[in-house]
Amino acid sequence: MKKGGFALRKWCSNRPEVLADIPADQLGTSLSITFQISPDEKVKTLGITWEPGTDQLRFYYDVTLSEQSWTRRSILSAVAKLFDPLGLISPVIVVAKMLMQELALLKTDWDTSVPVHIERKWKEFHSQMNNISELEISRFVFASKWVDIQFHCFSDASTLAYGACMYVRTLDEAGNVRIELLASKSRVAPLKRLTLPRLELSAAKEAAALHSKVTKALSMGNVRTVFWSDSTIVLHWLRAPPNSWQTFVANRVSMIQTATFAHSWRHISGKENPADLVSRGMTINDFLCSNLWKRGPPWLSNNEDEWPKRTEHEGPPDEQLEVRKVVHTVVVEDPPNEMFRLHSSLSTLLRIVAYCRRFAYNCRNRDDRKDTLALSHEEIYSAKITLTRIAQAERFSVELKALQERKCVDRKSHLKRLSPFLDNQGIIRVGGRLHFSNEEYAVKHPAVLPSHHPFTHLIVQHPIRDTTRILADTWKACRQHRAS
């Protein structure tokens, strides 16, 4: 840094010998002639006061109660002086956060006196803040010669706030266990109200994020970690794949499982959960007397077999678990008319249908009007029109009904892009700008045939030497329909 022109100054240490060779004008603390650090020495860093002599962290709050009438702006200014980057006093900070959120809900002007009930709450909180200096927190959180280390993360939520806290448990060579608070994170509940299980899940997400940040900062990502929650619903969510739940739950479960895949989640009672203090807040006086916050639950110092057991709870109702509802749509289609399976050749099938139509015609007329000659081109063409009409009625019944009623087809229909219309023979044909071309009618407006239909398959497989234009027309329509 010095080579770059950045001379580092204000050097501090809890070990005097580290500072022995540093010039006095570059020290951030004063040393006696015997290179002893005074017990009263205080160094302020990142808003927290550090006492190098005792290696303790302290908080000091020096805002005097001089305001005649508190406003939203002055309260926020006072709250901002409680700088707590590690969340060591989160149960206290969250009370101030909830108070500021209450002011936001009231839409109080920034320079207008706050309502009486808010001012009363604030003065009670403010009057106790000077006592925060009594809190002592060890800077060094590990045992001197530890042989085993664990992290324990707790999460909890209430209707007002949610949060997480993280403790380190170290075991030294003599078998002594030391528990210390590492960090915590608190958040007020969003203005858009969420259910309590969702808030509990958000708290679990905060625990996973807090663990990731702390272990990355300490380069201790491989340390065994146990996550604790007093919500059985959250534990059920985390034991299943994310796609089992609705979107809100699935997204957070996915993030938590990704961040904590190598660690276990266990259940803890609400009274023993230190994160409960974060979610509900505490007064200063209660906070200073809380051993639960400083050292975690008492059983954490015991052997693991004395920790709360994993008990399998009966699963909550699906309504509380927000199970993703999977809707199965079963489309039942009537089988194609058996007429289409009379023969595998289109030419033969058309002749069969044409003879059937002639038989019906002869049955309705006298002997002198009966047709006994060879099949004509018009009869073959009429047979094709008949089969086309039957195939369309089987697969496009909704569209056909709409067109018969002179309505537009539904916008969700596959035929919508084809601008379909109904010709004078009752056949659905393709519309569009080809109407202005000089091509023949059947080329400009080919008939529409359904894909995966026996009649369509016969047309596609029929030799190109077929002289009837409707075959080419229906082939083009089939390709357009598949593309749509």
Side-chain angles (χ1 to χ4, degrees), residues 441-460:
Y441 181 82
V443 175
K444 293 188 296 184
H445 304 293
V448 179
L449 287 181
S451 60
H452 307 295
H453 192 276
F455 185 51
T456 308
H457 291 171
L458 289 176
I459 291 178
V460 173

Side-chain angles (χ1 to χ4, degrees), residues 195-408:
T195 61
L196 188 57
R198 286 191 172 193
L199 289 172
E200 293 274 10
L201 183 63
S202 299
K205 177 176 169 288
E206 287 296 327
L210 180 65
H211 173 262
S212 297
K213 291 180 180 179
V214 171
T215 53
K216 182 179 179 181
L218 298 177
S219 299
M220 301 178 71
N222 295 326
V223 174
R224 182 197 174 191
T225 305
V226 182
F227 292 84
W228 301 88
S229 174
D230 57 14
S231 173
T232 56
I233 295 179
V234 169
L235 296 179
H236 274 84
W237 280 336
L238 296 178
R239 289 172 187 157
N243 58 6
S244 304
W245 318 117
Q246 295 181 15
T247 304
F248 181 95
V249 176
N251 291 340
R252 284 152 183 80
V253 167
S254 177
M255 288 185 283
I256 295 171
Q257 290 179 344
T258 301
T260 66
F261 70 96
H263 308 291
S264 61
W265 281 84
R266 301 177 68 167
H267 185 265
I268 185 176
S269 65
K271 294 181 180 180
E272 298 177 319
N273 190 354
D276 180 72
L277 307 178
V278 179
S279 65
R280 302 182 186 279
M282 301 179 72
T283 63
I284 301 296
N285 295 336
D286 292 340
F287 175 75
L288 294 174
C289 301
S290 175
N291 288 323
L292 178 62
W293 178 252
K294 296 176 183 177
R295 299 289 181 264
W299 45 259
L300 199 56
S301 300
N302 302 335
N303 294 328
E304 186 170 352
D305 55 2
E306 299 180 36
W307 297 355
K309 304 297 181 182
R310 290 195 188 196
T311 55
E312 296 296 333
H313 299 273
E314 183 180 353
D318 287 353
E319 293 76 12
Q320 294 183 17
L321 287 177
E322 301 187 39
V323 176
R324 183 188 296 273
K325 296 180 180 179
V326 180
V327 179
H328 298 278
T329 303
V330 180
V331 179
V332 180
E333 293 184 349
D334 294 332
N337 195 304
E338 290 297 328
M339 182 185 305
F340 295 108
R341 303 188 185 279
L342 290 177
H343 206 279
S344 60
S345 170
L346 178 63
S347 301
T348 305
L349 178 61
L350 293 178
R351 295 178 65 82
I352 293 173
V353 175
Y355 275 119
C356 291
R357 288 174 54 84
R358 174 181 286 190
F359 175 78
Y361 172 81
N362 290 338
C363 290
R364 293 194 300 268
N365 292 278
R366 299 189 304 270
D367 292 343
D368 57 342
R369 301 186 60 181
K370 292 181 179 180
D371 191 353
T372 57
L373 300 176
L375 289 174
S376 63
H377 172 74
E378 289 75 14
E379 288 178 300
I380 297 295
Y381 180 80
S382 297
K384 294 171 185 176
I385 293 297
T386 299
L387 292 177
T388 303
R389 192 184 299 115
I390 294 173
Q392 290 182 344
E394 288 180 347
R395 293 293 186 266
F396 305 135
S397 57
V398 177
E399 292 84 351
L400 185 61
K401 182 179 180 181
L403 294 174
Q404 288 173 345
E405 296 175 356
R406 298 182 181 277
K407 298 179 182 179
C408 295

Side-chain angles (χ1 to χ4, degrees), residues 49-295:
T49 300
W50 174 42
E51 298 177 350
T54 58
D55 204 13
Q56 298 287 322
L57 300 177
R58 288 181 181 269
F59 289 86
Y60 288 95
Y61 186 71
D62 57 357
V63 178
T64 58
L65 188 62
S66 59
E67 297 284 343
Q68 296 297 324
S69 60
W70 287 95
T71 64
R72 185 178 173 185
R73 189 185 304 277
S74 61
I75 291 177
L76 178 60
S77 176
V79 171
K81 294 184 178 182
L82 287 170
F83 186 62
D84 181 24
L86 294 178
L88 301 177
I89 56 173
S90 284
V92 176
I93 299 291
V94 76
V95 175
K97 289 182 179 180
M98 290 188 289
L99 193 63
M100 291 305 303
Q101 187 185 57
E102 190 174 352
L103 284 173
L105 285 173
L106 294 174
K107 298 182 179 180
T108 307
D109 189 73
W110 283 100
D111 297 308
T112 303
S113 298
V114 298
V116 177
H117 69 284
I118 297 292
E119 186 174 10
R120 183 168 58 251
K121 291 180 182 178
W122 169 248
K123 285 184 176 180
E124 181 181 359
F125 175 84
H126 186 274
S127 63
Q128 299 181 19
M129 278 307 300
N130 289 330
N131 298 334
I132 197 67
S133 60
E134 300 177 11
L135 178 66
E136 291 185 354
I137 302 171
S138 299
R139 182 199 61 82
F140 186 70
V141 296
F142 303 106
S144 56
K145 295 181 179 180
W146 58 269
V147 295
D148 181 63
I149 185 170
Q150 297 174 358
F151 291 139
H152 291 263
C153 297
F154 300 83
S155 64
D156 192 34
S158 68
T159 56
L160 299 176
Y162 62 92
C165 52
M166 184 172 176
Y167 293 81
V168 57
R169 180 184 187 271
T170 50
L171 178 68
D172 63 15
E173 295 175 344
N176 300 316
V177 176
R178 181 180 179 182
I179 311 289
E180 292 289 347
L181 175 68
L182 268 179
S184 74
K185 184 69 176 179
S186 65
R187 293 184 182 274
V188 292
L191 297 178
K192 183 180 179 181
R193 295 303 178 188
L194 300 176
T195 61
L196 188 57
R198 286 191 172 193
L199 289 172
E200 293 274 10
L201 183 63
S202 299
K205 177 176 169 288
E206 287 296 327
L210 180 65
H211 173 262
S212 297
K213 291 180 180 179
V214 171
T215 53
K216 182 179 179 181
L218 298 177
S219 299
M220 301 178 71
N222 295 326
V223 174
R224 182 197 174 191
T225 305
V226 182
F227 292 84
W228 301 88
S229 174
D230 57 14
S231 173
T232 56
I233 295 179
V234 169
L235 296 179
H236 274 84
W237 280 336
L238 296 178
R239 289 172 187 157
N243 58 6
S244 304
W245 318 117
Q246 295 181 15
T247 304
F248 181 95
V249 176
N251 291 340
R252 284 152 183 80
V253 167
S254 177
M255 288 185 283
I256 295 171
Q257 290 179 344
T258 301
T260 66
F261 70 96
H263 308 291
S264 61
W265 281 84
R266 301 177 68 167
H267 185 265
I268 185 176
S269 65
K271 294 181 180 180
E272 298 177 319
N273 190 354
D276 180 72
L277 307 178
V278 179
S279 65
R280 302 182 186 279
M282 301 179 72
T283 63
I284 301 296
N285 295 336
D286 292 340
F287 175 75
L288 294 174
C289 301
S290 175
N291 288 323
L292 178 62
W293 178 252
K294 296 176 183 177
R295 299 289 181 264

